[in-house]
Each structure stands twice: as structure tokens, then as C-alpha cells.
């Protein structure tokens, strides 16, 4: 069978379909605000011909990859959702150019659609693992939509699940810790009659507790791919009031001191945790992303240096989106000007110790971390990659000076949880090899690729004693750690189209980056297209492939996908026949299956269909073959994919979050159907008596 062309649903005038209410609560309307990066930078074309060393760049093939996330078996499930168990696929399964679909990608593609359901391939089954409000801790009350409290929510699964990690429990087959980020709250969808101008104390406390992370033990059901949550000893809720320790060069700095924490070494809570990664030593990293909308009264900060720092991070205005400053002064910059400097970090959670304090690692810098994902070289050096998800912001990596200890003793864990506290932080600078042919149209250069070289520019070195050394003229180490975006500005880092998930492939060591979109590229005087960001007014995004000298400072790169309507001239699917691919738009989260295929989930499909999860072949004659595996309900975003042979897990975030809808007028009833409110949930998909994509 040949794959049926799937461009039928494409709206050629499409802009991102993300609802404005999602922008409001998720990222503080970042898209409608001025771009925070007003730096001049170094114009891409000026450096395009710079001869960059390729020393050791191709060494990666021999390097051991110890990343755990993608290779571990999956987990998931509980009850069959009432209206969610839908299969609706186009026939197909072989590529238009390369022949049979490679192992792991052999399934009937799901057609683009706008159903209020999770739509999966024919022959597969699905079930919800856990949803917002389900009990996590023993004694948690049954979810009661109309009578929520902060106390109840602090024991229940939080809102808007994003990243998911699955950690096998040793000695217990098919049993895992499921660790999930709860990125943000959408109060109009959480509370009937919500008054955005006048939230109640109980609503504030509930929302605070609905943020953070959940750790839940889940057990596989032998007859299916379901995963059943249990009240295991590791179960935990981390919320907006959980104590975190601050490590690295910003710990104890004046920038982090508040009246509640005059030492500047501990902070309550974590917010807007978007994606993350499972480390090879068994912890979970989570990125604090759009922390800016939680803080009020930036406009009252008149010191020009402090005001410029706030502006660079998009912290602005008077009242905050959620009005939390009315209930806790730490959210009021006029009273606590430094509290905001305590968010925007990579946090590390040890899910194997429910009493442990999570850590914020300031050596990795402060920006809107989408995630952090780890690669380990053959000498045990740890490389943590992280993108800053904002239009025209940067890509970073941290290279540890300490080496990872193997084994799972307490001593190993203690040591390994310090790996991200000593080493060097770098920012990426790109050069293209077809600079004169980049005109913003997306037309492929005559050498057949958007590609080139790049270098990692060192910003901050953190020593064994935890003290930082600035490598940026005119900035102290503490300033680089806390105002990292401005350090990137000073060294002329390359302005990217919203760098989101940034993941090394455990099979090959190549590194992939989802660049979601950037409709401001080349518009109103903003930076124009360059070879790595080759389209002006970029609505559909691209996926970047790096061959990185992981612990070194050089890389080569190419664009694997230039996303959007396959029929349009400005799209590129890895050289694969575009008449035989699923349309993909706005790539966000990345994952790898056990065979080394890339999987991409989307956020804000600009082609007017629901978001989804797609497989992408990376090697061989099918390179670039892109197939949609599932779609999520209307208004929802596909997050946290985990791709195994037994199961695929996705987080369905903000179902029904459409403009004009709210709890009193729901646009979705997923997953429970009937007249029920939509609830963000984790879903498992499996193939009865078979393996995923086999
Ligand atoms: Fe939370 Fe960058 O998406
Ligand atoms: Ca080129
Ligand atoms: Ca994301």
C-alpha cells in the first residue's frame, strides 16, 4: 500500500491554531508582545563564511549514549475513556520513496482531523492512565470539580500535564515511576464562574497546588498495555509551595535574596514546567519556562538596569495574569523584586526519595528552559542540552567537569546530583554554507540543503567549589547565571525560531531540536531569515539535526524538516517524497523509539487540524518519511511523548481550551464524555498482541 496524500485538510492561509486563551495563561501572551530580544547580535550572514573548525565533530558515532528516557519501556493506562477510544486511519504504511516503513514506523497513518478524541491507528487501543484531579497520595479526596480546594489539589494529579518520564522500578516487572510536569493552570477552565479580575483565595491555593510535578507509581496490566496508578511509596506531589534548594553560582547571590530567604539559597515552588528529561542516573530534569506572567508590577521597577533585565525576560505590566500578588507578596515585584530571579532554571527531582528537596541548578543559566536532556560521553562527561523557547532566543548546552558515577547506590546518586553544578555553559552560534541563497522564502539552496557549521561560545564556567567565572566581558558570573539571555546577546548568539525540545538520539548521538515557529521572523525590522531559520513569517517551524562534538565546541547541522503543507514550495521533508507524508506543523516535543526513529509532537498546528504525534525516519532511503500516529482532542496540545515497543504515552494538555469556551461552556468533553468537563490527562496507546510500529 502507498501512503495516501494527506494535504487535503491544509488551509493555505493558516496561522497557528493555538487559542488566544492558551497564550494568555500559558505564556503571558508572548506572541502579541514585543519580542524580548532587541539585541543587535551579529548578523548571521556576516559570519556565514567564517571557517569553523570541525575537529572531532564526527567522533560521536563511537560515544556511549546513556540517555534513559527513550529506551526504557513505556507505561500507561486505566479505564477506557468514554468517548476517547477512537480509531480513524487512512490506509497506508509504506513510504512513497523508500519502500517498506522501517521497524517502529509501520502503522496506518491517522488523517488530520478536528475530532474531540484521541485518534489512533486502526488495530491499536488506548486508555487514560491518570487525569487532572485523580488521587496521587493516599487519602486524597475524590475529585470534585465544583468543590475544589488547595488542600485536595495538593494530593491530586495537577493540571495541564506536559513532560512525562517513565522510570522502571528495579525488580518489579512492568512497574514504573511516572513523573509528570504540570505546566500551568487555565483558571477559566478549572472553575465555574471564574472571575479573572477577582480570583478567590481558594482558587489561588488550588492553582498553586495544581502546578509543579507528580510522581506516581504505575503498574502494567498483563493482558493489555494499560498502566494502573497505585499508591506507591514514591508517590509525591511537588507544588508551588514545595521547598527547592538553589545550587550553582547564583546561589546566595544578592540577585536571589528575598525577605523570606535572606540567604538566597532556597525557594518555594516551581512554575511553568514545560518539558524535561530523564537522566541516566535516575533523576528527572524539568524546565521552568514562561515564569514571567506570574509576577506583578514590573512597571513599578524604575531602575533602568533592573527594568531592562525584566524586559529581556518578558516580565512587564501591572497586575499579573492570575492576580496571585493579592494573596502572596512574593509575586509582587514592588515588594519582592528578586523573587522573579528565582525562577527560570532547570530543576532536578530525585523521584526515588519522596522526602528529598528538589534542586534548581543555576550553572545551567536562567532563561525560559523548555527542558534539559542529557548525553553522556564515553568518559562519563555529562552534556545537558536546553533551548530557550522564545522567538529569537538561543540554544544552550552545559558540559560537566565531573564524571558520572555508575550504579544506583546512595553515594552515586549524591554525586550524580552534583554533576550539573560544575562545568561550562555555552550558547550556540550558527553559520550556513549557502548564505547568498537565503531570501526568506524557504526555497532550498542549490546545494540541496539548509546546512552548515556552528560553534558553542562559552559563557560561564562553574568550578568545583560552586563559584562561577564569567566568560563574558562586562558581566559578573552571577549576572551571567541569572541574566543569561543578556550574556547570549553580548556574544552574538544566533537568534532561533523558538527552540523547544532539544534531544540527543540514544542510537546515533546526533542531536535534534524542534524550532516551533516564529511569525515575527523578518517582520517589522526583526531579524531576517538565515539558513537555520530560513523562512520569514515562519508559521510552521522546522526540525534541526546537529552532529555535535558533545563535550567540545564545534558542530555541523542541517534542517531535517521544514514543516508545513507538503504541497507548498517552502517545505522540506528530509528529501522524502512530499506527496507521501503526513503534514506536520509546529514541532515541539521530541522523543526516540527503541529503533532510533524520531517522534515529534506538535503545539499549535497552523494547518487547521488538531495537534498530533508523528514518527520521522532519520536514516536510510526513507529519511524524512513523516507519519501521523495520533491526534489529540480539539484545543489540546500533544506533550510528553514516550515511545516504547509495548506502549506509547502522551500527555494531552489543555483539551477544549478554545477561545469563547470555559468551564461554563466547555468545547470538549474529553476524556470522560457526556457533559463532563475536559480534563488534561496522560494516555497510553498499545497494539494488542503486538509491538508499536512493528
Ligand atoms: Fe511549554 Fe515551549 O512550550
Ligand atoms: Ca546549504
Ligand atoms: Ca513545549
Amino acid at each position: 500500500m502507498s501512503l495516501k496524500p494527506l494535504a487535503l485538510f491544509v488551509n493555505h492561509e493558516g496561522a497557528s491554531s493555538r487559542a488566544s486563551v492558551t497564550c494568555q495563561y500559558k505564556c503571558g501572551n508572548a506572541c502579541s508582545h514585543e519580542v524580548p530580544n532587541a539585541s543587535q547580535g551579529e548578523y548571521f550572514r556576516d559570519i556565514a563564511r567564517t571557517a569553523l573548525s570541525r575537529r572531532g565533530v564526527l567522533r560521536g558515532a563511537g560515544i556511549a549514549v546513556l540517555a534513559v528516557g527513550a529506551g526504557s519501556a513505556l507505561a500507561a493506562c486505566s479505564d477506557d475513556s468514554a468517548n476517547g477510544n477512537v480509531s480513524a486511519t487512512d490506509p497506508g504504511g509504506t513510504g512513497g520513496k523508500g519502500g517498506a516503513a522501517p521497524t517502529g514506523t509501520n502503522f496506518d497513518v491517522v488523517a488530520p482531523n478536528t475530532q474531540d478524541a484521541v485518534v489512533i491507528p486502526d488495530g491499536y487501543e488506548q486508555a487514560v492512565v491518570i487525569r487532572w484531579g485523580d488521587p496521587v497520595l493516599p487519602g486524597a479526596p475524590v475529585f470534585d470539580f465544583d468543590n475544589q480546594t488547595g488542600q485536595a489539589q495538593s494530593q491530586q494529579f495537577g493540571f495541564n500535564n506536559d513532560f512525562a518520564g517513565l522510570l522502571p522500578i528495579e525488580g518489579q516487572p512492568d512497574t514504573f515511576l511516572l513523573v509528570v510536569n504540570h505546566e500551568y493552570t487555565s483558571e477559566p477552565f478549572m472553575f465555574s464562574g471564574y472571575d479573572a479580575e477577582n480570583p478567590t483565595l481558594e482558587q489561588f491555593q488550588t492553582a498553586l497546588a495544581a502546578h509543579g510535578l507528580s510522581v506516581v507509581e504505575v503498574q502494567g496490566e498483563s493482558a493489555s498495555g494499560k498502566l494502573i496508578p497505585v499508591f506507591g511509596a514514591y508517590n509525591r506531589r511537588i507544588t508551588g509551595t514545595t521547598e527547592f534548594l538553589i545550587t550553582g553560582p547564583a546561589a546566595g547571590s544578592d540577585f536571589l535574596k528575598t525577605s523570606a530567604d535572606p540567604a538566597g539559597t532556597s525557594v518555594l515552588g516551581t512554575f511553568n514546567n514545560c518539558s524535561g528529561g530523564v537522566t541516566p542516573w535516575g533523576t528527572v530534569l524539568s524546565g521552568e519556562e514562561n515564569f514571567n506572567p506570574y509576577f506583578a508590577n514590573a512597571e513599578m521597577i524604575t531602575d533602568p538596569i533592573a527594568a531592562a533585565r525584566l524586559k529581556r525576560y518578558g516580565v512587564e505590566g501591572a497586575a499579573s495574569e492570575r492576580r496571585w500578588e493579592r494573596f502572596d507578596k512574593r509575586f509582587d515585584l514592588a515588594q519582592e523584586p528578586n523573587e522573579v530571579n528565582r525562577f527560570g532554571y532547570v530543576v532536578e527531582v530525585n523521584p526515588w526519595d519522596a522526602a528529598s528537596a528538589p534542586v534548581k541548578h543555576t550553572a545551567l543559566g536562567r532563561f525560559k528552559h523548555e527542558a534539559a536532556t542529557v548525553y553522556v560521553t564515553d568518559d562519563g562527561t555529562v552534556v545537558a542540552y536546553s533551548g530557550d523557547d522564545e522567538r529569537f532566543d538561543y540554544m544552550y548546552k552545559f558540559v560537566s567537569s565531573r564524571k558520572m558515577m555508575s550504579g544506583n547506590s546512595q553515594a552515586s546518586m549524591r554525586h550524580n546530583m552534583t554533576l550539573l553544578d560544575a562545568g561550562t555553559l555555552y550558547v550556540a552560534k550558527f553559520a550556513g554554507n549557502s548564505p547568498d541563497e537565503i531570501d526568506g522564502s524557504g526555497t532550498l539552496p542549490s546545494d540541496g540543503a539548509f546546512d552548515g557549521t556552528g560553534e558553542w561560545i562559552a559563557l560561564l564556567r562553574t568550578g568545583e567549589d560552586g563559584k562561577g567565572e564569567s566568560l563574558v566581558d562586562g558581566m559578573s558570573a552571577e549576572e551571567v547565571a541569572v541574566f543569561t539571555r543578556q550574556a547570549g546577546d553580548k556574544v552574538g548568539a544566533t537568534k532561533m525560531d523558538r527552540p523547544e525540545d532539544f534531544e540527543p538520539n540514544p542510537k546515533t548521538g546526533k542531536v535534534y531540536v524542534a524550532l516551533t515557529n516564529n511569525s515575527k521572523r523578518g517582520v517589522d525590522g526583526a531579524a531576517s531569515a538565515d539558513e537555520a531559520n530560513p523562512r520569514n513569517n515562519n508559521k510552521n517551524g522546522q526540525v534541526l539535526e546537529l552532529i555535535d562534538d558533545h563535550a567540545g565546541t564545534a558542530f555541523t547541522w542541517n534542517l531535517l524538516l521544514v514543516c508545513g503543507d507538503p504541497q507548498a514550495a517552502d517545505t522540506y521533508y528530509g528529501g522524502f517524497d512530499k506527496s507521501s507524508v503526513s503534514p506536520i506543523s509546529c514541532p515541539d516535543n521530541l522523543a526516540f523509539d527503541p529503533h532510533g526513529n524520531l517522534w515529534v509532537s506538535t503545539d499549535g498546528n497552523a494547518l487547521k487540524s488538531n495537534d498530533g504525534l508523528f514518527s520521522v525516519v532519520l536514516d536510510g532511503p526513507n529519511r524524512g518519511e513523516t507519519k501521523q500516529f495520533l491526534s489529540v482532542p480539539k484545543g489540546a496540545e500533544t506533550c510528553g511523548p514516550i515511545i516504547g515497543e509495548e506502549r506509547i504515552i502522551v500527555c494531552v494538555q489543555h483539551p477544549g481550551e478554545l477561545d469563547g469556551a470555559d468551564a461554563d461552556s466547555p468545547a470538549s468533553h474529553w476524556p470522560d464524555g457526556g457533559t463532563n468537563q475536559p480534563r488534561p490527562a496522560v494516555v497510553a496507546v498499545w497494539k494488542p498482541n503486538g509491538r508499536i510500529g512493528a
Side-chain angles (χ1 to χ4, degrees), residues 568-579:
D570 70 347
T571 58
Y572 173 74
Y573 281 71
F576 197 76
D577 178 358
K578 291 202 295 175
S579 68

Side-chain angles (χ1 to χ4, degrees), residues 432-434 445 447-452 531:
N433 61 16
S434 310
D447 67 355
F450 297 110
D451 61 348
E531 197 159 346

Side-chain angles (χ1 to χ4, degrees), residues 249-407:
S253 90
D254 287 345
F255 297 126
L256 268 58
K257 292 174 180 170
T258 65
S259 63
D261 174 32
T265 54
S266 71
V267 55
L268 298 184
T270 186
F271 300 120
N272 218 274
N273 299 70
C274 192
S275 194
V278 176
T279 67
W281 53 95
T283 64
V284 169
L285 303 178
S286 171
E288 294 183 324
E289 195 191 19
N290 293 296
F291 58 86
N292 49 312
Y294 297 85
F295 295 92
N297 294 326
E299 66 182 28
M300 294 175 69
I301 305 298
T302 53
D303 173 74
I305 293 175
R309 287 170 173 158
L310 291 170
K311 190 172 183 191
R312 185 65 183 85
Y313 284 85
V315 186
E316 56 187 20
S320 75
E321 194 63 60
R322 295 174 179 80
R323 310 293 195 269
W324 285 3
E325 64 275 13
R326 294 183 188 172
F327 307 104
D328 187 337
K329 70 173 185 174
R330 70 183 173 123
F331 299 108
D332 183 350
L333 289 160
Q335 297 188 68
E336 290 290 350
N338 286 341
E339 184 73 10
V340 69
N341 295 336
R342 294 143 64 85
F343 295 87
Y345 296 102
V346 169
V347 307
E348 184 170 14
V349 175
N350 175 6
W352 306 104
D353 180 358
S356 61
V359 171
K360 299 195 181 192
H361 290 291
T362 65
L364 275 65
R366 173 171 168 268
F367 46 91
K368 295 185 180 180
H369 286 278
E370 172 76 10
T373 51
V374 160
Y375 179 93
V376 183
T377 70
D378 53 2
D379 72 350
T381 299
V382 168
V383 185
Y385 294 95
S386 190
D388 183 350
D389 179 12
E390 183 105 50
R391 293 167 299 168
F392 301 109
D393 259 295
Y394 308 134
M395 290 164 38
Y396 299 83
K397 76 172 178 182
F398 174 86
V399 178
S400 75
S401 54
R402 297 178 181 138
K403 312 300 181 195
M404 192 182 99
M405 279 175 64
S406 57

